[in-house]
């Protein structure tokens, strides 16, 4: 992000700034996907340990996936 801010401050081409912002967004989306995927089983197990039903645990997992998009 600092690089993009510097690009804007330097008055660089709008197309270049948008390209960099798009790359940042793609990287963040990938990181969120990895985090959600790695923690999905843990989240479901935790929910079940808290006394939630399987259906509630699955719904919480789905909600987490939806939030990540």
């Amino acid at each position: 992000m600092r690089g993009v801010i510097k690009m804007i401050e330097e008055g660089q081409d709008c197309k270049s700034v948008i390209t960099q912002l798009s790359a940042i967004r793609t990287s963040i989306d990938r990181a969120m996907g990895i985090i959600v995927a790695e923690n999905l089983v843990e989240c479901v197990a935790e929910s079940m340990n808290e006394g939630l039903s399987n259906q509630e645990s699955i719904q919480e997992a789905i909600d987490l996936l939806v939030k990540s998009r």
Side-chain angles (χ1 to χ4, degrees):
M1 283 303 302
R2 287 185 190 132
V4 172
I5 292 169
K6 185 175 179 183
M7 290 174 71
I8 293 168
E9 290 172 347
E10 292 174 349
Q12 290 202 19
D13 177 56
C14 180
K15 185 178 176 183
S16 297
V17 172
I18 296 299
T19 299
Q20 289 303 313
L21 287 171
S22 178
I24 291 168
R25 180 173 39 195
T26 299
S27 295
I28 290 171
D29 286 344
R30 285 183 183 163
M32 287 176 66
I34 291 169
I35 290 167
V36 169
E38 288 181 354
N39 290 303
L40 187 58
V41 173
E42 183 180 326
C43 290
V44 171
E46 207 172 276
S47 295
M48 291 176 74
N49 285 339
E50 292 174 0
L52 298 176
S53 69
N54 285 340
Q55 184 63 34
E56 290 172 318
S57 298
I58 292 168
Q59 187 59 52
E60 280 194 5
I62 292 169
D63 291 344
L64 183 60
L65 285 170
V66 170
K67 279 185 184 179
S68 72
R69 291 288 154 211

